[in-house]
Short mmCIF file of all heavy atoms in Angstrom, two decimals:
data_model
loop_
_atom_site.label_atom_id
_atom_site.label_comp_id
_atom_site.label_asym_id
_atom_site.label_seq_id
_atom_site.Cartn_x
_atom_site.Cartn_y
_atom_site.Cartn_z
N LEU A 1 4.56 3.80 -8.59
CA LEU A 1 5.07 2.81 -9.55
C LEU A 1 5.87 1.77 -8.80
O LEU A 1 6.72 2.11 -7.95
CB LEU A 1 5.96 3.53 -10.58
CG LEU A 1 6.74 2.64 -11.54
CD1 LEU A 1 5.78 1.89 -12.46
CD2 LEU A 1 7.71 3.48 -12.35
N VAL A 2 5.58 0.53 -9.09
CA VAL A 2 6.29 -0.59 -8.45
C VAL A 2 6.55 -1.67 -9.46
O VAL A 2 5.78 -1.86 -10.42
CB VAL A 2 5.49 -1.11 -7.23
CG1 VAL A 2 4.14 -1.67 -7.68
CG2 VAL A 2 6.25 -2.12 -6.42
N GLN A 3 7.63 -2.39 -9.27
CA GLN A 3 7.96 -3.49 -10.19
C GLN A 3 7.12 -4.74 -9.90
O GLN A 3 6.69 -4.93 -8.74
CB GLN A 3 9.45 -3.84 -10.09
CG GLN A 3 10.36 -2.74 -10.60
CD GLN A 3 11.81 -3.22 -10.64
OE1 GLN A 3 12.18 -4.17 -9.97
NE2 GLN A 3 12.63 -2.50 -11.41
N PRO A 4 6.91 -5.57 -10.88
CA PRO A 4 6.22 -6.82 -10.63
C PRO A 4 6.88 -7.60 -9.53
O PRO A 4 8.11 -7.70 -9.44
CB PRO A 4 6.30 -7.55 -11.97
CG PRO A 4 6.41 -6.45 -12.98
CD PRO A 4 7.22 -5.38 -12.30
N GLY A 5 6.04 -8.17 -8.63
CA GLY A 5 6.55 -8.89 -7.49
C GLY A 5 6.80 -8.01 -6.28
O GLY A 5 7.04 -8.54 -5.19
N GLY A 6 6.68 -6.72 -6.45
CA GLY A 6 6.92 -5.81 -5.34
C GLY A 6 5.71 -5.61 -4.46
O GLY A 6 4.66 -6.26 -4.64
N SER A 7 5.87 -4.72 -3.49
CA SER A 7 4.82 -4.44 -2.53
C SER A 7 4.55 -2.96 -2.44
O SER A 7 5.42 -2.13 -2.78
CB SER A 7 5.23 -4.93 -1.14
OG SER A 7 5.44 -6.33 -1.15
N LEU A 8 3.35 -2.65 -2.01
CA LEU A 8 2.93 -1.25 -1.86
C LEU A 8 1.84 -1.20 -0.81
O LEU A 8 1.06 -2.14 -0.68
CB LEU A 8 2.40 -0.72 -3.20
CG LEU A 8 2.45 0.78 -3.48
CD1 LEU A 8 3.89 1.29 -3.44
CD2 LEU A 8 1.82 1.06 -4.84
N ARG A 9 1.79 -0.13 -0.07
CA ARG A 9 0.78 0.05 0.98
C ARG A 9 0.00 1.33 0.70
O ARG A 9 0.59 2.40 0.61
CB ARG A 9 1.41 0.10 2.35
CG ARG A 9 0.41 0.14 3.51
CD ARG A 9 1.15 0.30 4.81
NE ARG A 9 0.33 0.08 5.98
CZ ARG A 9 0.29 0.91 7.01
NH1 ARG A 9 1.03 2.01 7.02
NH2 ARG A 9 -0.47 0.64 8.03
N LEU A 10 -1.30 1.20 0.60
CA LEU A 10 -2.18 2.34 0.46
C LEU A 10 -2.82 2.69 1.77
O LEU A 10 -3.15 1.78 2.56
CB LEU A 10 -3.28 2.05 -0.60
CG LEU A 10 -2.83 1.63 -1.98
CD1 LEU A 10 -4.04 1.45 -2.89
CD2 LEU A 10 -1.83 2.60 -2.57
N SER A 11 -2.98 3.97 2.00
CA SER A 11 -3.63 4.45 3.22
C SER A 11 -4.82 5.31 2.86
O SER A 11 -4.84 5.97 1.82
CB SER A 11 -2.67 5.28 4.06
OG SER A 11 -1.53 4.52 4.41
N CYS A 12 -5.82 5.30 3.73
CA CYS A 12 -7.00 6.13 3.52
C CYS A 12 -7.46 6.63 4.88
O CYS A 12 -7.71 5.84 5.80
CB CYS A 12 -8.11 5.34 2.86
SG CYS A 12 -9.67 6.24 2.71
N ALA A 13 -7.56 7.93 5.00
CA ALA A 13 -8.00 8.55 6.24
C ALA A 13 -9.40 9.13 6.05
O ALA A 13 -9.66 9.82 5.06
CB ALA A 13 -7.03 9.64 6.65
N ALA A 14 -10.28 8.85 6.98
CA ALA A 14 -11.64 9.35 6.95
C ALA A 14 -11.84 10.48 7.94
O ALA A 14 -11.31 10.46 9.03
CB ALA A 14 -12.62 8.24 7.23
N SER A 15 -12.59 11.46 7.52
CA SER A 15 -12.94 12.57 8.43
C SER A 15 -14.40 12.93 8.20
O SER A 15 -15.04 12.45 7.26
CB SER A 15 -12.03 13.78 8.16
OG SER A 15 -12.17 14.25 6.83
N GLY A 16 -14.90 13.79 9.05
CA GLY A 16 -16.31 14.15 8.97
C GLY A 16 -17.12 13.24 9.89
O GLY A 16 -16.71 12.94 10.97
N SER A 17 -18.25 12.82 9.38
CA SER A 17 -19.16 11.97 10.17
C SER A 17 -18.71 10.53 10.09
O SER A 17 -19.44 9.65 9.59
CB SER A 17 -20.59 12.12 9.66
OG SER A 17 -21.01 13.45 9.72
N SER A 18 -17.50 10.28 10.59
CA SER A 18 -16.88 8.98 10.36
C SER A 18 -17.18 7.98 11.49
O SER A 18 -16.76 6.84 11.40
CB SER A 18 -15.37 9.14 10.21
OG SER A 18 -14.85 9.83 11.29
N ARG A 19 -17.90 8.39 12.51
CA ARG A 19 -18.16 7.49 13.61
C ARG A 19 -19.11 6.36 13.22
O ARG A 19 -19.08 5.30 13.84
CB ARG A 19 -18.75 8.26 14.80
CG ARG A 19 -17.78 9.12 15.52
CD ARG A 19 -18.40 9.65 16.80
NE ARG A 19 -17.45 10.41 17.59
CZ ARG A 19 -17.70 10.94 18.77
NH1 ARG A 19 -18.90 10.80 19.30
NH2 ARG A 19 -16.78 11.62 19.42
N SER A 20 -19.89 6.59 12.21
CA SER A 20 -20.94 5.61 11.87
C SER A 20 -20.53 4.77 10.66
O SER A 20 -21.38 4.19 10.01
CB SER A 20 -22.24 6.34 11.57
OG SER A 20 -22.66 7.10 12.66
N ILE A 21 -19.24 4.71 10.38
CA ILE A 21 -18.80 3.91 9.23
C ILE A 21 -18.98 2.43 9.52
O ILE A 21 -18.48 1.91 10.52
CB ILE A 21 -17.33 4.22 8.90
CG1 ILE A 21 -17.19 5.65 8.40
CG2 ILE A 21 -16.82 3.25 7.85
CD1 ILE A 21 -15.77 6.07 8.09
N TYR A 22 -19.70 1.78 8.64
CA TYR A 22 -19.99 0.36 8.82
C TYR A 22 -18.92 -0.51 8.17
O TYR A 22 -18.59 -1.58 8.67
CB TYR A 22 -21.37 0.05 8.21
CG TYR A 22 -21.70 -1.41 8.13
CD1 TYR A 22 -21.81 -2.17 9.29
CD2 TYR A 22 -21.90 -2.05 6.91
CE1 TYR A 22 -22.12 -3.52 9.25
CE2 TYR A 22 -22.21 -3.38 6.85
CZ TYR A 22 -22.32 -4.11 8.01
OH TYR A 22 -22.61 -5.45 7.94
N ALA A 23 -18.39 -0.03 7.07
CA ALA A 23 -17.36 -0.80 6.37
C ALA A 23 -16.42 0.17 5.64
O ALA A 23 -16.85 1.23 5.21
CB ALA A 23 -17.98 -1.75 5.35
N MET A 24 -15.18 -0.24 5.52
CA MET A 24 -14.21 0.52 4.75
C MET A 24 -13.41 -0.45 3.91
O MET A 24 -13.15 -1.58 4.34
CB MET A 24 -13.26 1.32 5.65
CG MET A 24 -13.92 2.47 6.37
SD MET A 24 -12.69 3.51 7.24
CE MET A 24 -12.00 4.45 5.86
N GLY A 25 -13.01 0.02 2.75
CA GLY A 25 -12.23 -0.87 1.89
C GLY A 25 -11.74 -0.16 0.66
O GLY A 25 -11.62 1.06 0.63
N TRP A 26 -11.47 -0.96 -0.37
CA TRP A 26 -10.87 -0.46 -1.59
C TRP A 26 -11.53 -1.08 -2.84
O TRP A 26 -11.82 -2.28 -2.86
CB TRP A 26 -9.38 -0.80 -1.60
CG TRP A 26 -8.65 -0.16 -0.47
CD1 TRP A 26 -8.48 -0.64 0.79
CD2 TRP A 26 -7.99 1.11 -0.50
NE1 TRP A 26 -7.77 0.25 1.56
CE2 TRP A 26 -7.43 1.34 0.78
CE3 TRP A 26 -7.78 2.08 -1.47
CZ2 TRP A 26 -6.73 2.47 1.11
CZ3 TRP A 26 -7.07 3.22 -1.16
CH2 TRP A 26 -6.55 3.41 0.14
N TYR A 27 -11.69 -0.22 -3.81
CA TYR A 27 -12.09 -0.66 -5.14
C TYR A 27 -10.99 -0.21 -6.11
O TYR A 27 -10.15 0.63 -5.74
CB TYR A 27 -13.42 0.00 -5.56
CG TYR A 27 -14.64 -0.69 -5.00
CD1 TYR A 27 -14.94 -0.62 -3.64
CD2 TYR A 27 -15.51 -1.40 -5.80
CE1 TYR A 27 -16.05 -1.23 -3.10
CE2 TYR A 27 -16.65 -2.01 -5.30
CZ TYR A 27 -16.89 -1.92 -3.95
OH TYR A 27 -18.04 -2.53 -3.44
N ARG A 28 -11.00 -0.70 -7.30
CA ARG A 28 -10.04 -0.25 -8.31
C ARG A 28 -10.70 -0.23 -9.68
O ARG A 28 -11.67 -0.94 -9.92
CB ARG A 28 -8.79 -1.14 -8.32
CG ARG A 28 -9.04 -2.56 -8.82
CD ARG A 28 -7.77 -3.38 -8.68
NE ARG A 28 -7.93 -4.76 -9.14
CZ ARG A 28 -7.04 -5.72 -9.00
NH1 ARG A 28 -5.87 -5.48 -8.39
NH2 ARG A 28 -7.26 -6.94 -9.48
N GLN A 29 -10.12 0.60 -10.54
CA GLN A 29 -10.63 0.70 -11.90
C GLN A 29 -9.46 0.82 -12.85
O GLN A 29 -8.68 1.78 -12.77
CB GLN A 29 -11.56 1.89 -12.05
CG GLN A 29 -12.27 1.96 -13.38
CD GLN A 29 -13.41 2.96 -13.39
OE1 GLN A 29 -13.50 3.81 -12.52
NE2 GLN A 29 -14.31 2.81 -14.35
#
């Protein structure tokens, strides 16, 4: 939870067959 105007940092760690990752990013719903 963050107030309007604030900041937040999301992290995502990949494991497994991650050497062949072509792109990484974020979606939201």
